[in-house]
Amino acid sequence: MSRVEQLSIFIENKAGRANAIFSRLNDANINVLGYMISDTLDYGILRIVTETPQKALRVLNEAGITAQVNEVLVAKLGGRAGDLHNFIRILAEEEINMIYSYSLSSTYVIIRVDNIEEAQDLMLARGIKLVNQEELDEFSNHQAD
């Protein structure tokens, strides 16, 4: 089977909650390959893919953190124009509903924050490289080569 186990973790929508979860996973030497946080007003869902999903589930449950495992599909796309559209079109043509989607990459991480100026200044001050649209386009062009 070509399926992957993903963890869905229910978290309060407050500063530091995701950090507490990632700290526990880090302390247990669990490598997070990709993640997504979706929000509501009070709570969010943190979805993660790891090399060891059952170990991650056990670590979180032992810490009293509510989590569950779901099967998902992970597609490796070629990085060329039209690849993503083709992938999504296949589902649409067969009327398969896409509940959510996100991409895996440990190289580029996208975040939306409540104070983008402050977050930008903080990341730059801490030595985190931020990219602009032009640099992201260059990365995309290299992927297609």
Side-chain angles (χ1 to χ4, degrees):
M1 285 198 200
S2 299
R3 298 178 188 173
V4 169
E5 289 185 325
Q6 166 203 264
L7 280 88
S8 295
I9 305 152
F10 303 97
I11 60 172
E12 196 172 6
N13 192 1
K14 289 189 176 179
R17 297 301 190 245
N19 179 59
I21 291 168
F22 285 118
S23 291
R24 290 206 183 267
L25 296 173
N26 184 59
D27 291 346
N29 199 33
I30 295 171
N31 185 23
V32 175
L33 302 172
Y35 79 98
M36 175 185 73
I37 299 175
S38 56
D39 67 329
T40 63
L41 187 58
D42 296 323
Y43 287 89
I45 299 176
L46 168 61
R47 292 184 169 93
I48 63 170
V49 174
T50 75
E51 295 166 345
T52 53
Q54 292 301 319
K55 178 181 177 184
L57 180 63
R58 187 176 63 254
V59 165
L60 295 172
N61 286 338
E62 287 172 359
I65 297 169
T66 303
Q68 66 183 29
V69 173
N70 307 103
E71 286 187 327
V72 295
L73 300 176
V74 177
K76 184 176 181 183
L77 304 179
R80 293 173 301 276
D83 285 349
L84 178 60
H85 173 246
N86 185 53
F87 174 69
I88 292 172
R89 180 182 49 79
I90 291 167
L91 298 172
E93 287 176 352
E94 297 301 319
E95 297 184 9
I96 296 173
N97 184 37
M98 182 170 37
I99 298 169
Y100 58 82
S101 177
Y102 59 100
S103 61
L104 294 179
S105 174
S106 59
T107 306
Y108 289 87
V109 176
I110 298 168
I111 60 170
R112 181 173 184 262
V113 296
D114 58 1
N115 187 331
I116 197 164
E117 294 295 328
E118 182 180 354
Q120 175 180 281
D121 293 346
L122 179 64
M123 293 293 161
L124 292 173
R126 300 278 178 96
I128 302 295
K129 168 82 170 115
L130 300 176
V131 300
N132 60 30
Q133 187 66 50
E134 182 178 303
E135 292 167 315
L136 194 60
D137 292 347
E138 288 175 18
F139 169 77
S140 176
N141 291 334
H142 286 328
Q143 292 294 93
D145 293 339

